[in-house]
């Protein structure tokens, strides 16, 4: 069955790139432009198999978004990958603390992206 | 264009938006209009530019954006003050960032290394303090930029990410023994042991031992106390990094030990004492099934406890998948449409308007009664057609903001070059106008702003001496007025030197030496072709282009430009343009068997003059009395060369028209056919500009009609010295 | 793109008549051929500019080729023909008496224009060739349009 990935990023370029990479790997992709929108899209589409979110976004940032996902019993076991330009141990710990399942370091290699999604997708 | 190029195009498009937003927000910071969110938005703009640039391997852009971003990160965290000097540096940095973007896009020259480096140095001083070494700070650390080309072919090969050869831990001959104890936290973050095993299984054959002896009793279960211990033997010639990679996401949320299985060597002590661990091989699928039941079941009930349960419940009901109810805070839904499709739609609607007009004409010609069903239906059709046209045009309407946003930078640059102090005030940025008009506004506005700063404003010293604030103000405003968009560019500078302007006009033979002109007429002389010369135009304001060229470019858009000036107080340029270049409300006029269209906006009144109302000056230049003044009479058919004889005295209709600057003339025609909304067609597409003709259109009968360039006709008539003299004599 | 490749060995031409004379242009330049419809005159245009017509919503200027070549002209009638040609990125209607033929021409067959032709004709003709005993002039469409006036006075 086709898996659905929700991408949350305020940059159109990033959304397009994620879309291209994920659709190319056979995923269905739904998109949102910030954290608030992300929660709305998640609710409207009845959840996703994997969520990928940026951190720096207007209205609600990635941390707020993850908290929103984790605090809803409907999605609390949905894997959430964080897009980050930062890959050191403190940033990883911070992402984990915020409830992220894993991370993707930007700029990302499409193969790595797809691999990360596959790793966390049930 | 392939997908990759399309995304790159999107990136540059997005850059334009981000850069515009960046500048707006920085100007808010400068003017004190900023709020707490402003600096975050500034940071995000630069961050997004950097992110996209990284994906495309645009290294120079990434490097600059990174230094810029690092300072912004300090500012938004409040670790460095966001003072006036800083904001000014940020503004200049945003200019350089824009230049880097343009260079990367190929629409601008390479950024001078020295200029970029100088700003980098400034930014770093602000980030680290004076003399502070740009030691690799946190941001520098986590950056570790390694551009990864977004390589399309690799999309087809979602291969396992093998670790790089230089990774630590050489392949172990006997494989790896992995002892793994997940913490409850790991499950909270939606990681699953089963998935980790699945990943390990991709590396090679596994033997898994599960010790559940430490699983707590349900009644004392806490996520943090999930104590399943997994011992996994991986028989695969992979290196340690490949194994660690599998646990990358859960590192810190588990206890993990990875040891090489050294052939016959002694077993390493277990992670925790696990008496009587089952030694049998376990079927992995059975294990996975067990795992999926067990930890999930164990953890899920406890999960809400980790967040605020009170908050969780309403949140759950609010975000439950009820799908259909639209979220209240959602921005208006938008779609992005290829402009070509919109243009095609507009063209087709244009044809529809013409067809509708043709049909209406045929029906009128057929002599059907106005009350007949067909006539009534046709009227409804006309209303609908209009509505469709308005709606379609609204699709392409855009706020002038996109053009206005480019101006602060221009003003900064011109101010710097001329040594003047300038404050730019913009108003009416949200005023909407057709996209085709928006695009063509930039050039005249640029030119007039340059002109206002270079010629209009005095130097700070001169201003102080004149008792004015040393900083000059240039105002750029947009507003809607009677179906047109009006752009005003005003300065509080010295105003037009009328004596000098008049002198130049006389010396160039543009006006007679004794011509008596009003102040307004003198001011508007600067638009005459041949008025501006190289010595009158500095390289900043003119770039060798005179105001007549500006006027012509505006006229080609169906626009008008005029100036009003107040000596010592400043000047205002007023530019008036149609809201769209696609349609025009016009009056159809008949002259020598031809139908011509005059823009309705230019028409003041029409009258049927008696023979004695028309006066002749100097043989053949006619004037007509209109409201206490004589205005020149332009015989349209003769001026256009359609026939030699003028409209016979006592016949025909005089249509009094007025230009934006207030100059009037009467157009003498045979008849008035009535109002029409016409679709504007360019003559220049297949031919060339024609004097006295603004454009063409297609009438209801399918024939081409010319749209009169009223300004040119009036200017032509008023340049006749006799007309000007007589006006004053009256 | 409007000019036919000059290195092609053979090309197709459209032949047309103006008065007694026969001319031809590269068929690739001609988009369509239509009957004469009255044109809207343009002010102060050269005599050979007959005005503009509506070609499916586009404004098409009409050049009277006979007048352009300095040959005698007559008022166009419904029997006259407009060849819609693509010249230097523009669409232009060329008014001629009739279209007479479509011919295959070997480039080698073209000879320089002899001095006997009038100066106007020579200005627009690249060369001549014989076809079944008739003389046909090869017209250079690039020279037909009036020089673009950068600025109307």
């Amino acid at each position: 069955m086709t898996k659905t990935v929700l991408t949350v990023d305020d940059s159109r370029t990033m959304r397009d790139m994620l879309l291209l990479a994920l659709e190319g790997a056979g995923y269905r992709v739904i998109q949102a432009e910030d954290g608030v929108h992300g929660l709305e899209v998640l609710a409207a589409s009845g959840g996703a198999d994997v969520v990928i979110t940026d951190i720096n976004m207007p209205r609600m940032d990635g941390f707020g978004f993850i908290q929103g996902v984790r605090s809803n019993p409907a999605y609390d076991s949905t894997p959430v990958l964080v897009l980050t330009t930062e890959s050191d141990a403190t940033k990883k710990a911070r992402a984990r603390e915020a409830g992220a399942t894993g991370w993707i370091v930007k700029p990302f290699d499409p193969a790595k992206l797809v691999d990360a999604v596959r790793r966390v997708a049930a | 264009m392939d997908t990759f190029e399309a995304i790159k195009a999107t990136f540059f498009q997005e850059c334009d938006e981000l850069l515009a937003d960046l500048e707006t927000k920085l100007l808010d910071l400068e003017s004190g209009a900023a709020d707490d969110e402003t600096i975050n938005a500034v940071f995000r703009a630069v961050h997004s530019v950097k992110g996209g640039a990284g994906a495309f391997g645009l290294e120079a852009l990434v490097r600059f954006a990174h230094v810029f971003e690092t300072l912004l990160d300090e500012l938004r965290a409040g670790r460095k003050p966001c003072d006036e000097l800083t904001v000014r540096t940020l503004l200049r940095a945003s200019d350089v960032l824009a230049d880097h973007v343009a260079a990367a896009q190929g629409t601008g020259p390479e950024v001078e290394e020295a200029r970029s480096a100088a700003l980098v140095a400034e930014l770093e001083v602000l980030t680290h303090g004076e003399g502070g070494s740009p030691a690799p700070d946190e941001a520098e650390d986590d950056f570790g930029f390694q551009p990864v080309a977004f390589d399309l072919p690799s999309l087809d090969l979602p291969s396992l990410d093998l670790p790089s050869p230089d990774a630590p831990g050489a392949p172990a001959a006997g494989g790896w023994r992995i002892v793994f104890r997940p913490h409850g936290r790991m499950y909270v973050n939606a990681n699953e042991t089963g998935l980790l095993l699945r990943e390990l299984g991709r590396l090679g054959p596994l033997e898994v031992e599960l010790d559940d002896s430490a699983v707590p009793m349900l009644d004392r279960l806490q996520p943090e106390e999930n104590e399943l211990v997994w011992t996994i033997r991986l028989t695969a010639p992979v290196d340690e990094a490949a194994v660690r990679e599998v646990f990358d996401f859960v590192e810190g949320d588990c206890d993990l030990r990875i040891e090489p299985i050294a052939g016959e060597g002694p077993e390493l002590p277990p992670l925790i004492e696990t008496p009587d661990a089952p030694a049998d091989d376990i079927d992995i699928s059975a294990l996975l099934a067990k795992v999926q039941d067990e930890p999930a079941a164990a953890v899920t009930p406890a999960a809400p406890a980790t967040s605020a349960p009170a908050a969780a419940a309403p949140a759950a009901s609010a975000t439950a998948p009820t799908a259909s109810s639209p979220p209240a805070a959602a921005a208006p839904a938008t779609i992005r449409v290829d402009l070509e499709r919109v243009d095609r739609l507009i063209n087709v609607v244009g044809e529809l308007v013409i067809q509708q007009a043709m049909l209406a004409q045929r029906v009128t010609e057929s002599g059907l009664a106005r009350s007949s069903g067909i006539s009534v239906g046709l009227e409804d059709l006309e209303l609908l057609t209009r509505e469709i046209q308005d709606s379609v045009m609204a699709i392409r309407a855009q706020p002038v903001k996109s053009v206005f946003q480019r101006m602060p930078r221009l003003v900064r640059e011109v101010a710097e070059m001329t040594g003047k102090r300038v404050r730019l005030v913009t108003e009416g940025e949200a005023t909407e106008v057709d996209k085709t008009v928006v695009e063509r506004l930039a050039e005249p506005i640029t030119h007039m702003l340059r002109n206002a700063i270079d010629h209009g404003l005095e130097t700070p010293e001169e201003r102080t001496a004149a008792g004015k604030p040393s900083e000059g103000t240039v105002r750029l405003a947009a507003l809607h007025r009677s179906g047109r968009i009006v752009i005003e560019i005003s300065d509080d500078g010295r105003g037009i030197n009328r004596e000098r302007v008049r002198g130049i006009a006389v010396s160039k033979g543009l006006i007679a030496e004794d011509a008596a002109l009003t102040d307004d007429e003198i001011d508007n002389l600067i638009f005459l072709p041949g008025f501006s010369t190289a010595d009158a135009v500095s390289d900043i304001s003119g770039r060798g282009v005179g105001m007549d060229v500006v006027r012509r470019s505006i006229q080609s858009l169906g626009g008008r430009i005029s100036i009003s000036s107040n000596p010592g107080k400043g000047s205002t340029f007023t530019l008036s343009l149609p809201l769209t270049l696609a349609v025009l409300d016009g009056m159809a006029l008949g002259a020598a068997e031809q139908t011509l269209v005059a823009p309705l906006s230019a028409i003041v009144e029409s009258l049927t003059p008696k023979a004695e109302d028309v006066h002749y000056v100097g043989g053949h230049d006619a004037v007509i009395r209109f409201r206490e003044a004589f205005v020149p009479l332009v015989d349209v058919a003769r001026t256009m060369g359609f026939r030699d004889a003028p409209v016979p005295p006592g016949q025909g209709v005089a249509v009094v028209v007025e230009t934006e600057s207030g100059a009037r003339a009467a157009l003498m025609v045979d008849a008035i056919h009535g109002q029409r909304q016409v679709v504007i067609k360019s003559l220049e597409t297949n031919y060339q500009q024609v004097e006295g003709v603004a454009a063409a259109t297609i009438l209801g009968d399918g024939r081409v009609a010319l749209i009169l360039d009223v300004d040119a006709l009036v200017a032509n008539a008023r340049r006749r010295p006799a007309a000007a003299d007589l006006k004053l004599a009256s | 793109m409007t000019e036919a490749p000059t290195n092609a060995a053979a090309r197709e031409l459209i032949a047309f008549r103006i008065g007694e004379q026969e001319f031809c242009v590269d068929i690739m330049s001609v988009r369509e051929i239509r009957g004469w419809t009255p044109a809207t005159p343009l002010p102060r245009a050269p005599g050979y500019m007959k005005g503009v017509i509506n070609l499916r919503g586009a404004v098409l200027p009409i050049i009277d080729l006979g007048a352009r070549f300095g040959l005698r002209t007559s008022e166009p009638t419904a029997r006259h023909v407009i060849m819609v040609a693509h010249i230097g990125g523009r669409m232009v209607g060329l008014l001629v008496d009739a279209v007479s033929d479509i011919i295959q021409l070997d480039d080698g067959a073209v000879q320089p224009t002899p001095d006997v032709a009038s100066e106007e004709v020579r200005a627009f003709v690249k060369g001549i060739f014989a076809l079944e005993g008739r003389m046909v002039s090869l017209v250079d469409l690039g020279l037909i349009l009036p020089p673009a006036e950068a600025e109307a006075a």
Side-chain angles (χ1 to χ4, degrees):
Chain A
M1 202 184 90
T2 309
K3 291 201 167 81
T4 300
V5 181
L6 166 66
T7 64
V8 187
D9 199 310
D10 58 330
S11 160
R12 207 156 66 222
T13 311
M14 269 317 147
R15 286 200 303 274
D16 282 2
M17 293 188 117
L18 290 167
L19 179 76
L20 178 64
L22 293 169
E23 283 193 344
Y27 290 98
R28 188 173 85 90
V29 178
I30 50 179
Q31 299 180 316
E33 298 178 9
D34 58 42
V36 175
H37 191 205
L39 291 176
E40 287 165 4
V41 170
L42 206 53
S45 57
D49 293 296
V50 177
V51 174
I52 300 176
T53 182
D54 190 24
I55 290 298
N56 287 296
M57 294 184 292
R59 295 211 291 171
M60 180 192 282
D61 68 9
F63 295 125
F65 170 68
I66 297 172
Q67 198 180 14
V69 172
R70 291 280 174 257
S71 63
N72 185 336
Y75 317 123
D76 63 1
S77 58
T78 303
V80 181
L81 296 171
V82 167
L83 283 167
T84 171
T85 50
E86 300 142 4
S87 58
D88 62 310
T90 35
K91 291 290 147 71
K92 287 180 183 176
R94 172 118 195 253
R96 259 201 304 268
E97 247 163 68
T101 311
W103 44 82
I104 297 156
V105 180
K106 287 193 288 188
F108 59 81
D109 176 332
K112 277 194 179 168
L113 168 82
V114 170
D115 191 48
V117 171
R118 191 188 47 69
R119 278 165 62 184
V120 298
Chain B
M1 185 157 62
D2 66 21
T3 322
F4 182 67
E5 284 304 313
I7 295 181
K8 206 165 174 179
T10 302
F11 167 63
F12 284 118
Q13 206 177 23
E14 190 171 22
C15 274
D16 285 348
E17 293 160 20
L18 291 167
L19 289 168
D21 198 40
L22 172 64
E23 187 173 40
T24 308
K25 292 290 191 312
L26 286 175
L27 290 171
D28 285 350
L29 282 174
E30 191 184 36
S31 68
D35 56 29
D36 295 346
E37 180 50 27
T38 307
I39 188 72
N40 286 325
V42 166
F43 174 85
R44 276 197 307 272
V46 176
H47 183 76
S48 290
V49 169
K50 186 182 103 174
F56 294 106
L58 305 169
E59 291 191 47
L61 178 54
V62 171
R63 268 197 298 273
F64 187 83
H66 176 62
V67 178
F68 197 171
E69 179 194 38
T70 306
L71 172 57
L72 292 170
D73 197 30
E74 292 293 299
L75 296 174
R76 73 171 176 159
R79 288 190 292 265
K80 288 282 185 300
C82 193
D83 53 20
E84 203 186 324
L85 173 79
T86 307
V87 173
R88 237 179 274 152
T89 309
L90 295 178
L91 271 166
R92 279 187 293 122
S94 74
D95 292 345
V96 173
L97 185 68
D99 290 347
H100 273 293
V101 169
Q105 192 179 8
T107 55
E110 283 301 311
V111 181
E112 282 167 53
E113 189 56 44
R115 183 160 158 258
S116 185
L119 254 173
V120 164
E122 279 187 66
L123 293 170
E124 281 176 344
V125 165
L126 287 168
T127 309
H128 308 286
E130 194 75 52
S133 67
D137 60 345
E138 191 182 271
E140 200 83 37
D141 238 350
D142 61 45
F143 179 46
F145 175 61
Q146 195 66 40
V148 176
F150 190 72
D151 190 14
L152 267 186
S154 67
L155 279 179
D156 304 322
L157 318 161
S159 60
L160 184 69
D161 181 39
L162 289 172
S164 49
D166 58 356
W176 299 92
R177 177 185 149 95
I178 300 146
V179 183
F180 170 64
R181 180 172 64 171
H183 299 169
R185 176 85 217 163
M186 193 187 97
Y187 300 110
V188 172
N189 282 359
N191 274 300
E192 308 246 352
T193 309
L195 299 177
L196 296 168
L197 290 177
R198 187 179 69 187
E199 285 307 300
L200 281 176
R202 289 168 70 93
L203 296 177
L206 301 182
E207 286 172 35
V208 182
E209 295 168 17
L210 175 62
D211 172 23
D212 55 2
S213 64
V215 173
M217 300 310 292
L218 267 177
D219 61 349
R220 58 175 198 91
L221 180 74
Q222 293 294 321
E224 275 66 34
E225 293 174 79
N226 195 307
E227 286 167 359
L228 281 170
V229 176
W230 301 76
T231 305
I232 307 143
R233 289 171 66 101
L234 169 65
T235 319
V238 296
D239 59 27
E240 186 182 338
V243 180
R244 288 223 170 263
E245 172 97 20
V246 171
F247 293 93
D248 183 30
F249 290 164
V250 297
E251 206 184 338
D253 284 343
C254 65
D255 297 319
L256 179 69
R257 199 158 65 208
I258 301 171
E259 306 146 344
I261 298 171
E264 303 305 311
E267 293 265 314
L268 288 157
L271 196 68
I272 51 170
E273 291 303 324
T274 53
D276 306 322
D280 309 332
D281 286 0
I282 295 173
D283 174 17
I284 188 156
S285 55
L287 240 182
L288 286 179
K290 180 177 180 182
V291 160
Q292 259 148 14
D293 283 353
E294 226 166 307
V299 172
T300 305
T306 63
S307 56
S317 59
T319 52
T322 43
S324 52
S325 64
T334 57
I335 53 164
R336 298 202 305 138
V337 180
D338 201 355
L339 186 61
E340 221 172 80
R341 293 190 190 184
V342 178
D343 288 346
R344 200 160 63 220
L345 182 60
I346 284 173
N347 278 335
V348 174
V349 172
E351 298 305 310
L352 176 67
V353 170
I354 291 170
Q355 280 301 326
Q356 185 273 324
M358 281 169 76
L359 193 57
Q361 186 161 339
R362 300 272 149 79
V363 168
T364 309
E365 284 164 5
S366 74
L368 273 173
R370 284 190 63 81
S371 58
S372 73
I374 290 179
S375 296
V376 171
L378 207 56
E379 271 171 38
D380 290 345
L381 178 65
E382 184 178 348
L383 287 176
L384 277 174
T385 309
R386 273 239 177 198
E387 201 176 321
I388 292 173
Q389 191 167 33
D390 289 348
S391 311
V392 169
M393 295 313 295
I395 296 177
R396 233 172 34 171
Q398 284 190 330
V400 294
K401 190 173 172 206
S402 59
V403 174
F404 278 24
Q405 271 175 339
R406 292 185 233 164
M407 298 305 153
R409 174 175 186 176
L410 173 93
V411 168
R412 280 198 295 282
E413 285 175 350
V414 178
E416 202 167 305
M417 274 198 268
T418 54
K420 292 174 181 176
R421 298 196 53 208
V422 190
R423 194 166 66 97
L424 176 70
V425 180
T426 54
E427 289 167 26
E429 289 192 326
T431 309
E432 283 195 338
V433 66
D434 190 66
K435 181 177 164 57
T436 51
V437 178
V438 170
E439 282 162 359
R440 294 171 75 174
L441 279 176
E443 206 184 308
I445 291 179
T446 301
H447 186 83
M448 285 188 296
L449 275 181
R450 280 204 183 103
N451 190 70
I453 298 167
D454 191 24
H455 292 315
L457 292 183
E458 312 90 331
T459 62
E461 299 76 40
E462 286 169 334
R463 291 182 64 90
T464 310
K468 292 178 174 182
S470 64
E471 186 181 62
T473 300
V474 174
R475 187 174 147 272
L476 173 61
L479 56 142
H480 280 146
R481 189 191 290 158
S482 50
R484 292 172 75 85
I485 181 169
V486 174
I487 307 278
E488 287 179 354
I489 292 133
S490 44
D491 63 72
D492 64 348
R494 55 171 77 98
I496 294 250
N497 182 340
R498 298 201 172 109
E499 213 165 297
R500 189 156 157 266
V501 165
R502 195 194 155 86
I504 292 172
V506 170
S507 73
K508 301 213 177 274
L510 299 172
I511 55 167
E513 198 161 341
D514 57 351
L517 300 176
T518 64
D519 286 349
D520 259 8
E521 283 171 328
I522 294 175
D523 292 346
N524 284 286
L525 288 175
I526 63 166
F527 295 114
L528 286 185
F531 179 85
S532 302
T533 58
D535 65 294
V537 177
S538 85
D539 63 332
I540 296 164
S541 68
R543 284 190 176 164
V545 176
M547 289 308 286
D548 60 320
V549 177
V550 175
R551 184 176 69 159
R552 208 163 30 238
S553 85
I554 288 163
Q555 279 174 343
S556 74
L557 298 178
R560 299 191 287 267
I561 182 172
S562 63
I563 181 178
S564 70
S565 182
N566 198 343
K569 299 259 174 62
S571 308
T572 299
F573 284 91
T574 306
L575 216 159
S576 136
L577 288 163
L579 293 178
T580 165
L581 299 181
V583 287
L584 171 97
D585 280 310
M587 182 71 82
L589 311 171
E593 315 296 313
Q594 299 299 323
T595 303
L596 298 152
V597 178
L600 208 55
S601 57
I603 296 176
V604 182
E605 201 175 310
S606 61
L607 38 121
T608 48
K610 298 187 192 69
E612 59 267 31
D613 293 337
V614 179
H615 304 265
Y616 291 88
V617 189
H620 63 280
D621 287 338
V623 294
I624 184 172
R625 196 180 182 91
F626 178 70
R627 295 184 192 165
E628 309 312 312
F630 286 101
V631 296
L633 200 62
V634 179
D635 189 284
V636 173
R638 229 179 82 185
T639 309
M640 305 291 277
F642 295 157
R643 71 179 165 216
D644 295 332
V647 177
Q651 293 181 27
V653 186
V655 179
V656 179
V657 291
E658 186 178 71
T659 64
E660 182 72 13
S661 62
R664 285 176 176 170
L667 305 181
M668 202 63 202
V669 294
D670 298 342
I672 290 183
H673 297 323
Q675 283 188 29
R676 304 263 195 286
Q677 189 180 47
V678 298
V679 177
I680 297 174
K681 302 280 180 181
S682 164
L683 269 180
E684 287 156 67
T685 309
N686 290 321
Y687 187 49
Q688 62 189 35
Q689 207 176 337
V690 176
E691 200 210 343
V693 177
T697 186
I698 293 161
L699 293 179
D701 61 4
R703 288 192 60 177
V704 176
L706 302 179
I707 300 172
L708 295 172
D709 180 350
V710 166
D711 279 38
L713 291 173
V714 173
N716 209 1
R718 294 193 73 85
R719 273 209 293 278
R720 300 190 309 231
D725 286 353
L726 194 109
K727 178 173 168 251
L728 287 142
S730 71
Chain C
M1 76 188 234
T2 57
E3 287 295 311
T6 46
N7 56 352
R11 50 180 160 169
E12 276 196 314
L13 302 165
I14 271 197
F16 54 90
R17 272 192 310 101
I18 300 171
E20 303 301 310
Q21 298 195 37
E22 210 167 349
F23 300 87
C24 65
V25 294
D26 196 301
I27 203 165
M28 298 305 286
S29 314
V30 178
R31 289 298 184 81
E32 63 179 280
I33 293 164
R34 47 192 291 125
W36 163 256
T37 44
T40 300
L42 293 169
R44 279 175 300 279
Y48 56 81
M49 284 299 315
K50 296 306 281 185
V52 285
I53 64 163
N54 165 20
L55 179 72
R56 288 185 299 279
V59 176
L60 188 76
I62 304 297
I63 292 177
D64 181 345
L65 265 195
R68 186 73 175 128
F69 293 165
L71 308 171
R72 79 177 163 76
T73 59
S74 50
E75 270 308 298
T77 66
R79 288 208 308 278
H80 280 74
V81 167
I82 292 172
M83 296 194 303
V84 180
H86 208 235
I87 307 176
R90 296 170 181 204
M91 298 283 279
V92 177
L94 304 173
L95 175 67
V96 300
D97 287 359
V99 169
S100 52
D101 209 351
I102 290 174
I103 43 185
Q104 296 270 348
L105 178 69
D106 201 33
D107 268 356
V110 182
Q111 302 159 24
T113 318
D115 286 348
V116 293
S118 81
E119 217 162 284
E120 285 99 333
V121 169
R122 263 189 295 155
F124 304 109
V125 170
K126 280 192 281 201
I128 59 161
F129 58 91
L131 182 74
E132 294 161 12
R134 291 130 52 199
M135 186 194 85
V136 182
S137 305
L138 183 58
V139 175
D140 183 352
L141 283 181
L143 302 170
I144 294 291
L145 283 182
E149 292 163 47
E151 303 170 5

